[in-house]
Amino acid sequence: MIQIATRSEPALILMANRSITSAKDLEGKKIATRIGSTSEWWLQRYLAHNKVDTSKVEIINLDSQQMPPALEIGDIDAFALYQPVGWQSQAVSGDKVHQLADATEVPGVSDLTSYGVRPEMIEQNPEAAKAFVEATKRGADYVVAHPEEVGEFYATEFGANNEDTVRTIALFDFNPAFDEDAVSMMQDLVDWSVEHGALTAGFDINDVIWTEAAGQ
């Protein structure tokens, strides 16, 4: 791992129908997420933080594009994912749904994007790995400085909603520290992934960080 590219707590969200106003209200309900992903990790940590009895919660796997319509028609009661899907859900359902929570409410949980390379690349061409890190940092700086232009690009190239793209950019730190807090979160995600079968074996996250490129 050579870089943490982005970090956001408010981008991880829990959307619910309007009748659900607290974490405890999720008992007896059906919640969709992407099983085995950061979104499920965030959901499980939210439920534990709020002492929700998970034996009384049904968690199912859905693709992200299925979640807003499923919440609209009542096939699910809530979903845990990331923005801009929450805003898309509100566009579909209006005030029938709301954002119940985001990851700012749970210590030690964040949406982290990291970059990694094969060890042999670092051995054979470490300068290329460093150059990659610098290039992505320059790109991130451009995104932060020109969010409207990025929104227009995503709308043209991918059909994304311009406003949602700009709002999503505002939620992220594009130059996050590769610090002890971030490493601790990544280690927790690794350990959780092993516990829930998303990884077959655990590892020490510090063993896969190339600190020279990470700026340590």
Side-chain angles (χ1 to χ4, degrees):
M1 188 181 305
I2 60 174
Q3 183 188 16
I4 297 178
T6 62
R7 173 174 176 167
S8 179
E9 286 77 43
L12 288 173
I13 48 98
L14 181 59
M15 299 298 296
N17 67 49
R18 183 61 66 175
S19 67
I20 297 172
T21 59
S22 71
K24 282 292 188 181
D25 291 341
L26 293 168
E27 293 182 359
K29 300 298 192 293
K30 183 187 292 186
I31 308 173
T33 191
R34 297 292 292 140
I35 297 295
S37 72
T38 303
S39 298
E40 189 193 3
W41 171 63
W42 137 242
L43 172 61
Q44 296 282 4
R45 291 296 182 253
Y46 172 80
L47 296 175
H49 180 72
N50 288 281
K51 298 179 172 57
V52 175
D53 184 350
T54 55
S55 70
K56 298 179 181 178
V57 178
E58 182 181 359
I59 298 174
I60 67 168
N61 185 61
L62 284 180
D63 289 335
S64 58
Q65 68 270 22
Q66 296 176 299
M67 295 184 196
L71 185 57
E72 161 68 14
I73 65 177
D75 282 353
I76 58 174
D77 302 291
F79 68 79
L81 203 62
Y82 41 75
Q83 294 292 17
V85 182
W87 298 323
Q88 294 165 2
S89 181
Q90 289 174 313
V92 169
S93 300
D95 62 6
K96 290 169 56 180
V97 303
H98 70 124
Q99 182 176 305
L100 180 64
D102 65 39
T104 61
E105 301 175 33
V106 181
V109 175
S110 186
D111 186 3
L112 295 170
T113 302
S114 61
Y115 294 138
V117 298
R118 293 183 180 276
E120 53 265 31
M121 178 184 177
I122 294 174
E123 294 173 4
Q124 296 168 7
N125 198 346
E127 294 307 313
K130 293 178 184 178
F132 174 82
V133 170
E134 290 304 315
T136 57
K137 285 182 177 178
R138 290 196 300 272
D141 289 343
Y142 191 90
V143 168
V144 173
H146 304 89
E148 295 289 347
E149 182 179 337
V150 175
E152 291 172 5
F153 174 81
Y154 269 73
T156 301
E157 296 296 323
F158 307 111
N161 181 282
N162 191 331
E163 181 182 352
D164 283 352
T165 299
V166 174
R167 292 170 72 189
T168 302
I169 290 170
L171 297 179
F172 279 86
D173 179 357
F174 285 85
N175 191 27
F178 211 143
D179 57 12
E180 185 177 339
D181 182 49
V183 171
S184 176
M185 274 191 280
M186 288 188 289
Q187 187 65 60
D188 183 61
L189 178 57
V190 168
D191 296 342
W192 175 87
S193 297
V194 172
E195 180 184 348
H196 287 78
L199 288 176
T200 56
F203 56 91
D204 186 336
I205 201 75
N206 288 288
D207 292 341
V208 298
I209 297 173
W210 189 41
T211 56
E212 190 172 344
Q216 298 291 306

